[in-house]
Amino acid sequence: MNPFGHREHETLIEMSATTDDFSILTDFQNPDSPGEEANGTLYEINSNADSELPGNSEKWRKHGLFLKSRLRIDKHHQSKDSVFFRDGIRRIDFVLSYIDEPVKEGDKKAERRKEFEINLEKSGLELETEDKKESENGKTYFVKIHAPWEVLSTYAEVLNIKVPIKENDIPPPMENPLHFVLKPFRLPENVMHPEPDYFTAPFSKQKQELFLIEDENSFFSPATRNRIVYYILSRCHYGTEEGKKKFGIKRLLNNATYTAAYPLHDCQYWKKARDEKCESERFTLYMQWARFAQFYKEQPLDLIRKYYGEKIGIYFAWLGFYTEMLFLAAIVGLICFLYGLITMDDSNSSKQICDPEIGGQIIMCPLCDKRCEFWRLNTTCEPSRYSHLFDNVATLFFAIFMGIWVTLFLEFWKRRQARLEYEWDLVDFEEEQQQLQLRPEYEAKCTKRKKNPVTQEIELVVKRSKVNLLSKLFLCWMSIVFWISLIIASMIAVIVYRLAVYAAFASIMENNQLEDNPISSLLTPQLATSVTASCLNFVIIMILNFLYERVAIWITDMEIPRTHLEYENRLTMKMFLFQFVNYYSSCFYVAFFKGKFAGFPADYTYMFNKWRNEECDPAGCLIELTTQLTIVMAGKQIWGNIQEAIVPWIWNWWGRRKARNNPENLYSRWEQDYDMQTFGGLGLFYEYLEMVIQFGFITLFVASFPLAPLLALLNNILEIRVDSWKLTTQFRRPVASKAHSIGVWQEILNGMAILSVVTNAFIVAFTSDMIPRLVYYYAYSEYEHSLMDGYISSSLSIFNVSDFKEKSMPNENPMNITLCRYRDYRYPPDHERKYMHTMQFWHVLAAKMAFIIIMEHVVFIVKFFVAWLIPDVPSEVKARVKREKYLTQKILHEYELYKLKEKLSGRQYCEDAEKQVIATEGKVQLSEAM
């Protein structure tokens, strides 16, 4: 017997060799309380038991500490991974946490919590509180919430949740003949389809026997349960302050009454739960989906949808489909790039520039005023050779191909989305979402009643005066205009930087040493300027994004949108408009403005009358656009992965650094999830935004960089696993929510697809050197044996050095240059139309405009034909939807008919019995009278 009166064999103590902690497994219970064993509640001793022990000896102190530790473990005896109440029966559907503050403000928060929890219990929820002494830090209370069947069934009907009514009897589609070829990429069937396929119907409490209810505790999935509980939490009152009713868990989180509110993961991600009643779906998702070793496998979309809800499921479905479609674009882009690489040494333009007898003899005009010297054309030999990688005939083909690819991607995604809508019971979801998913913030502002013209029902609406509405709209849009103006101002600042750095680089070029210096032959003033300006621009983009994000959320909150969908759509348009300008403005500048307004040596164009505008390289500006695109696109993807994966991992490691040393029995499931990061209501918004911005890079400017789809493909393969890994291992389980599509992002993608045709046509026409070469080839070539000989000389005009203005005249002219060349089509100084544009200039301009019109019309015609040819909803899905509606209505009709017959037969029986009683009584009376 030990000093507490219990046998020694009742307690097992295991001492760790690496730490001073005790891992204690015990079966302690109060012998006088047999009833508590039945309901799973364990006997608790006063936490101050050690102070009541006789004497102050070290032995008694240790026993007191041991007893306290043992009682803590007993409370979690079922398992640290348990997602049930202490009775082991009621599932924990949600957890609230708070820290008790012993100050005046803490008293106010305690009153809010008390009122809130009382109202939660009145709404039917069941609560169980874990004392702060049971928490790892000794400060945090955890309120566990369980929704009983009555609550679930009531709100399932309110939220119009569809549940199984009959097993699907439609034969599955024919097996793909490539099934065996694709087998290495497949996942096990129980992972891909964790549940049987059912016909479903909206739940009704009055028709419960109609649905396939085997067990009330497991009929509603954990995702559906936490969605229902969150719906209640977001609308539960907690008091009246300043004459206004206050309600909703979101407000309580904002004012720090509660520190967190979240549903629980069902187990640890690296091993299954010990409790057989836990599904361990998180473990399955981690092993089959979230590990990078599974990058080549398909995604278990049905399991993702079941665990996280339809909204997250549809995002990963879209991301996976987008990645699959990128595979085709990446292959074609790689082939075009390889074509440029193979033919790089065959480029006549670069040969002429690199030839010492041609490019070496052409003296170019200075690149900047005063400090810059004259330079030889062959100093740009290497950049001109590398520009051929992206500026060749394949560029035109790839631009047209990508215009068609975008259409195929969007049309096939509509079909994939329609299939998911059917399989996930989302066909009629949009109307439900608009009517039922009102934002609590909107409901709190409702003070006026108005009849809905559609439903003819009286609804609460926000009272908005015209003056107040106009002032808010003005403030909101002025804020947006201000931030866009700030982007433009920052872009102008980067342009000024480019001009200043360009002049500095150009002024230190030494003509006599360039040919012998390999670094100088690669690092031209144009390239050095483009690289440094792109890096600076990327830093500015990140800073502006960080600031504007908060402003956009603040503006949208001021507008008080009615539904969650409306809120996300408004925020999406504001954020996308800003990021569109922020990310793409520098690329638009290089593609369509740089070198187009530089003027000519006798009349250069200056910005702010101080900095001379940039000129393009003699081989064109396409290589600089490629550099800009690569740095911004790659930098964004690298930074995004750091933010998404490394930052949450560091925060989680920091939050769990102490708990890792505790025995497993002391670190409960709700505490483990509490130490994780919050995914947030806008978590998916940022994921979509990141991918849509990437979509813009590979469509709007793809003519300048055929490898962009390949980079996007590699990034997305990593992105899928990073997103799944962080969602499964680093974030608390998000509240499940529904979505029938990708929402407003679909319209944004459609708009970018149309714009991409225009931008790529302009890039090929004005940024690439293809059209001038074709015009020379067909109209101005003077060489029969090689039609492109003489092209470089034809594209460079002649300038008399004596015609320089004082502001532009070089300080030094050691080679006594009298004539220099510049990139333009102008008459020479000895012509009567001195320095005016030649007919070749107008022919090239006309060819560019004709090319844009022809390319746009051809691509648009093909796009619209493809869109018309491919139906948005597959025919088999249409048939299955009709079949399901027919069978569901038939089942409901038969059920109603059966109930009606039962009711009528019961009434008829009662009427017959009543008639018999009356007849019998009459016979008795007659007998007595006789």
Side-chain angles (χ1 to χ4, degrees), residues 12 82 137 280 358 395 412 479 483 527 540 555 627 644 664 772 864 899:
L12 173 65
S82 176
N137 58 12
S280 297
I358 301 176
T395 301
F412 281 125
S479 300
W483 280 92
L527 183 60
I540 294 175
I555 292 173
T627 304
E644 292 180 9
E664 289 189 349
F864 292 136
K899 283 293 184 182

Side-chain angles (χ1 to χ4, degrees), residues 329 332-333 336 392-408 698-704 706 753 756-765 770-771 774 850-864 866:
V332 177
C336 293
N392 52 66
V393 178
T395 301
L396 174 59
F397 166 77
F398 192 57
I400 296 174
F401 168 80
M402 286 301 294
I404 300 171
W405 176 88
V406 169
T407 304
L408 291 173
I698 69 167
T699 54
L700 296 177
F701 308 102
V702 74
S704 66
S756 67
V757 177
V758 179
T759 56
N760 283 301
F762 271 86
I763 287 173
V764 174
M770 183 180 301
I771 302 301
L774 290 175
F851 170 80
I852 291 172
I853 294 172
I854 294 172
M855 178 179 170
E856 286 182 357
H857 281 72
V858 169
V859 175
F860 279 133
I861 290 173
V862 174
K863 280 170 63 70
F864 292 136
V866 170

Side-chain angles (χ1 to χ4, degrees), residues 56 197 228 253 364 415 443 747 847:
N56 295 320
D197 191 10
I228 290 173
L253 291 172
M364 301 297 293
R415 292 170 62 85
E443 292 179 317
E747 301 303 322

Side-chain angles (χ1 to χ4, degrees), residues 645-688:
I646 298 178
V647 173
W649 180 84
I650 292 174
W651 281 112
N652 286 339
W653 170 83
W654 182 258
R656 291 196 299 253
R657 68 193 187 283
K658 295 180 180 178
R660 288 184 304 172
N661 296 325
N662 288 340
E664 289 189 349
N665 303 67
L666 300 181
Y667 199 33
S668 62
R669 162 61 39 212
W670 45 89
E671 288 181 281
Q672 294 176 53
D673 287 8
Y674 177 73
D675 287 336
M676 301 174 78
Q677 300 300 299
T678 305
F679 190 66
L682 296 176
L684 280 186
F685 167 78
Y686 296 113
E687 301 295 343
Y688 275 118

Side-chain angles (χ1 to χ4, degrees), residues 475-484 486 543-559 567 570-571 574-575 578 686:
L475 177 61
C476 293
W477 285 104
M478 283 304 297
S479 300
I480 296 172
V481 171
F482 167 76
W483 280 92
I484 291 179
L486 188 62
I543 294 173
L544 290 177
N545 277 349
F546 176 79
L547 297 175
Y548 180 75
E549 176 185 316
R550 280 107 182 121
V551 175
I553 294 174
W554 172 71
I555 292 173
T556 309
D557 288 340
M558 282 182 55
E559 296 175 355
Y567 180 89
R570 292 190 183 187
L571 180 62
K574 293 180 180 66
M575 285 294 293
F578 175 84
Y686 296 113

Side-chain angles (χ1 to χ4, degrees), residues 698-750:
I698 69 167
T699 54
L700 296 177
F701 308 102
V702 74
S704 66
F705 191 33
L707 291 180
L710 179 60
L711 291 181
L713 173 64
L714 297 176
N715 174 79
N716 286 8
I717 292 174
L718 178 64
E719 181 76 19
I720 291 174
R721 304 306 158 180
V722 168
D723 287 348
S724 58
W725 175 80
K726 73 177 183 182
L727 199 62
T728 307
T729 67
Q730 303 301 311
F731 283 86
R732 296 172 187 160
R733 186 174 183 173
V735 178
S737 57
K738 284 198 171 187
H740 73 291
S741 67
I742 62 174
V744 71
W745 298 109
Q746 183 79 36
E747 301 303 322
I748 291 175
L749 293 174
N750 289 333

Side-chain angles (χ1 to χ4, degrees), residues 46-61:
N46 192 317
S47 61
N48 296 322
D50 58 333
S51 62
E52 299 173 5
L53 295 173
N56 295 320
S57 66
E58 185 67 15
K59 177 180 178 181
W60 283 107
R61 189 183 68 81

